[in-house]
Amino acid sequence: MINLRSTPRHRRSVTALLLVSLALAGGCKEVLGTPGASGPSGDTGIGSSGPEAPTDTAPADPSVTPSAPGTSATPSTPGKPTTPSAGTVPPTASGGWITIDAAAQAAATKAFFARKPKPVTGNPVKVPEFNVGCKTSHHNSDDPIVLPKLVGGSHNHTFWGNRSTDANSTAESLRASKATTCNSPDDQSAYWVPTMYQNGKVVDPKEVTVYYGSRLKDPSRTQPFPFGLRMITGNAKNQVDTPDKQGNHFWCAGIGGEIGRSADKTFPVCAKTANIVRQITFPDCWDGKHLDSPDHKAHMANGDHTGACPKSHPVPVPSVSFVISYPLSANTDGITLASGTSFSMHADFFNAWKDEALAARVRNCLDQGVKCNSAGNF
């Protein structure tokens, strides 16, 4: 394991960290799935023309011990429904639950389903899906969902999407920032995962595709998540494989695929014509009441055995899925994450899509069960 080099930023955050609760409710394991009925299709959007910009330098040494997620302090960011309505009441926060205004959300939902979908043209793939292609934006040891306002309080993260994301980010600050490393200017959301290292050196993703799809039996009632919704999936504390030995979900994509395993058996060794890939999928059922919850998971759920949303979380929303390609193939020894082992992989999503752009994509693509590109076209 690699020792954490003490930095002024980390030392400044020690006092603040002592004030944070060390227990994250739940501790759910990551739930895997594929966006759409048959997973990512050939037209992935990976490598599509997005903003090309230099990547900020991450710390040279990874964190060995994952920071313990605490009960989030709740930012006082006003939320608003997908379809803005007059007289919207700011959300209220209590014990980590951020409650939205029920009347405003009901109006937004009604307005959304009153939209007439754009007629399907051509012969699109029958998979409810659209995507954005992204590049790495920057790194920092912040987490505005789990540790809001605690600068340097987290293990190091690799961010893409909104360039402004840091410990002080709120829904409103993300919306105010125009710069994104994703190929849709309408997507001002923030996305992040723990930074990957190989023998102490940062390994940035070669490319990332964020899919928005549906894994439900009937995707036609899917609606946009509200502005400011945030959620996490995976468990930073999980350092070992699951009992069924399915906890490591890195795989090889490309010609030749997997040809072996790393020395510690936790990573695949890929052919030189392939790359290591990780897919991380978020739940697609929402409780319809909260933008966030104390563990940043309880307000979300997965579809039940019938392929529908459970009664506790009755609102179908897009299933967000990260497909992350790392430029590693034959040499996969010495890989760690800032949160620890490969089994600690987790991901965060903070929604700041422009309301109209997200609503159009959900109504035209997901609700009609067809695949769209990053621009929301068939």
Side-chain angles (χ1 to χ4, degrees), residues 26 30 47 67 163 170 253 271-272 275 279-280 327 336 358 372:
E30 177 185 291
S67 58
R163 286 187 174 277
T170 64
K272 291 183 179 180
N275 290 320
Q279 180 174 354
I280 310 171
T336 59
L358 180 61
C372 294

Side-chain angles (χ1 to χ4, degrees), residues 37 71 74 80 89 118 132 164 182 191 207 214 217 219 227 250 262 281 288 297 315 339:
T71 300
T74 304
K80 60 181 179 180
V89 178
K118 183 171 66 174
V132 289
S164 71
C182 296
Y191 311 93
E207 52 207 4
S214 175
K217 186 175 181 180
F227 171 62
F250 285 88
S262 61
T281 302
K297 296 180 178 181
V315 183
S339 51

Side-chain angles (χ1 to χ4, degrees), residues 4-42:
L4 173 64
R5 178 185 301 167
S6 178
T7 65
R9 195 181 191 198
H10 285 105
R11 290 195 293 270
R12 287 196 302 270
S13 65
V14 169
T15 300
L17 279 172
L18 293 175
L19 301 178
V20 181
S21 168
L22 297 179
L24 178 64
C28 302
K29 293 183 176 67
E30 177 185 291
V31 178
L32 291 183
T34 51
S38 52
S41 52

